[in-house]
Amino acid sequence: MTRYLLPLGIFAALVALLGFGLTLNPREVPSPLIGKPAPQFSLPQLQAVDKTFSPKEMSGRVWILNVWASWCPPCLLEHPVITELARMKIAPVVGLNYKDRPEDAIAWLKRNGDPFQLSASDIAGRIAIDYGVYGVPETYVIDQRGVIRYKRIGPLTPEIVREKVLPLVQELDRG
Amino acid sequence: MARLGVLIMLFALGPWAHAKEAAPAAEDPALEQRVMALAAELRCLVCQNQSLADSNAPLAVDLRNQVREQMKQGASDRDIVDFMVARYGDFVLFRPPFKSATLLLWFGPLLLLAAGLAALFYRLKRRRAAADVELTEAERERAEKLLAENGTERR
């Protein structure tokens, strides 16, 4: 009887290990950018092309950068959550419009409402590469010193806002 | 005469030299080969089981362009890999780097092999030990008797 116990034990351990592996999300790649300064850029604003936006302008305050596109269905799914987040006014929410046609992007905001303080146009997607974006929507929380403190790949949900984003922003605001 | 020969050669070669210089670098086959060789080492993050070289996802195309552009500016493969890792993490590498967090990944198979060999040796040793049991005088006599009986029956 005992001679079967060892192989059975090994088998059970293997099943447990592989089972645990199945619960992990392979799309959640830990970002190496957490704790690093947010890459600098200067891009035209979506609704005012003669004006630019640069992360430098936000230094001294906690802010949220949300990468979105009008062609991205999960962005539409996330839109009410971003709208709610912006409405709470805990931190300015800036949009980074990713590889989009400006006219499509503007129409999308008109149709669904514009929660952003402003959106920067990254038509070529070059800035998004610097931010390690590979699946829109993505959201970053950036602190007063311009350091990325949190990154979410994929849509924000009310739970994530409540459990991760809000506590983090409050903690950062305290200093 | 020799001088004239050189002159004729220079004129004859001129168009080729010119054509080569004017060729757009994107059609430079050596560069393209380098781009694809490096892209094959990098994971496409949109379709995770494909490399940047295999994938036609828009991001993969952008990243290949990024690789090509940096190579044109004289970046080494190492520089470009560092550029990718800084943005997307070690996950972009199909060949994981050798560091403390990946020790188990690198040595795990060796460890399993060693464990298997150890188990095999242990078993073989036990089996041999079982075969080498010393018999007492009484046991030997009994065994001989049993063998002899067996032998007569068979005959």
Side-chain angles (χ1 to χ4, degrees):
Chain A
M1 190 54 213
T2 50
R3 59 185 305 207
Y4 297 114
L5 234 52
L6 188 65
L8 196 69
I10 293 174
F11 178 69
L14 202 63
V15 166
L17 184 73
L18 296 178
F20 174 67
L22 279 180
T23 65
L24 299 176
N25 182 359
R27 303 208 72 88
E28 261 166 38
V29 181
S31 174
L33 287 160
I34 310 277
K36 300 260 169 63
Q40 284 301 325
F41 62 83
S42 178
L43 284 175
Q45 294 185 14
L46 177 67
Q47 290 112 324
V49 271
D50 50 327
K51 281 193 257 173
T52 58
F53 171 76
S54 164
K56 268 187 293 219
E57 295 162 27
M58 305 305 283
S59 87
R61 50 196 313 194
V62 181
W63 61 293
I64 294 166
L65 182 70
N66 177 249
V67 187
W68 67 279
S70 68
W71 46 262
C72 143
C75 298
L76 190 57
L77 199 76
E78 182 193 46
H79 188 263
V81 182
I82 295 289
T83 306
E84 179 61 24
L85 181 63
R87 205 192 49 79
M88 285 189 255
K89 294 199 185 310
I90 49 162
V93 181
V94 173
L96 183 68
N97 184 225
Y98 175 64
K99 294 191 81 164
D100 214 346
R101 289 218 310 263
E103 59 268 32
D104 292 349
I106 290 168
W108 192 88
L109 289 177
K110 277 222 182 84
R111 201 161 53 239
N112 303 302
D114 184 355
F116 303 110
Q117 177 170 311
L118 62 94
S119 279
S121 278
D122 187 16
I123 297 171
R126 293 294 293 268
I127 302 309
I129 289 178
D130 285 342
Y131 277 79
V133 170
Y134 64 85
V136 267
E138 295 196 10
T139 305
Y140 300 78
V141 176
I142 298 166
D143 74 9
Q144 292 93 330
R145 283 167 300 127
V147 174
I148 297 176
R149 301 303 287 263
Y150 174 77
K151 175 183 178 184
R152 162 77 185 166
I153 295 160
L156 284 181
T157 62
E159 291 76 45
I160 294 171
V161 170
R162 202 167 51 234
E163 285 155 25
K164 293 260 173 68
V165 178
L166 282 183
L168 178 63
V169 171
Q170 278 160 0
E171 193 199 314
L172 291 173
D173 271 337
R174 255 177 268 132
Chain B
M1 195 61 217
R3 218 179 274 173
L4 189 69
V6 170
L7 203 66
I8 289 172
M9 242 169 75
L10 277 178
F11 273 116
L13 290 175
W16 272 299
H18 183 77
K20 188 141 199 175
E21 234 166 72
E27 282 159 27
D28 176 351
L31 175 74
E32 207 50 28
Q33 209 177 357
R34 232 188 109 201
V35 169
M36 285 324 234
L38 186 62
E41 296 274 310
L42 298 170
R43 186 192 302 274
C44 165
L45 290 125
V46 181
C47 26
Q48 299 189 342
N49 291 328
Q50 279 188 304
S51 75
L52 278 187
D54 299 334
S55 175
N56 274 322
L59 181 66
V61 175
D62 285 354
L63 287 177
R64 277 206 300 272
N65 289 339
Q66 186 70 235
V67 168
R68 187 175 299 115
E69 236 165 80
Q70 291 193 20
M71 279 181 176
K72 268 194 236 166
Q73 284 160 13
S76 71
D77 288 10
R78 184 78 249 161
D79 296 338
I80 296 169
V81 166
D82 289 346
F83 172 92
M84 294 295 171
V85 169
R87 282 156 183 77
Y88 299 103
D90 288 335
F91 191 67
V92 290
L93 305 174
F94 274 127
R95 265 181 243 242
F98 195 77
K99 55 189 199 184
S100 59
T102 58
L103 276 183
L104 194 62
L105 186 65
W106 279 96
F107 289 115
L110 270 180
L111 262 166
L112 285 179
L113 181 70
L117 283 177
L120 185 69
F121 275 119
Y122 176 70
R123 274 202 89 111
L124 286 177
K125 211 174 135 192
R126 236 182 28 179
R127 192 178 292 174
R128 191 171 309 146
D132 288 347
V133 176
E134 286 285 327
L135 296 178
T136 62
E137 200 53 41
E139 280 171 336
R140 189 183 302 274
E141 263 169 37
R142 199 167 152 243
E144 263 165 25
K145 217 163 98 189
L146 284 170
L147 284 170
E149 268 172 26
N150 242 346
T152 46
E153 265 169 33
R154 209 173 280 163
R155 247 174 242 153

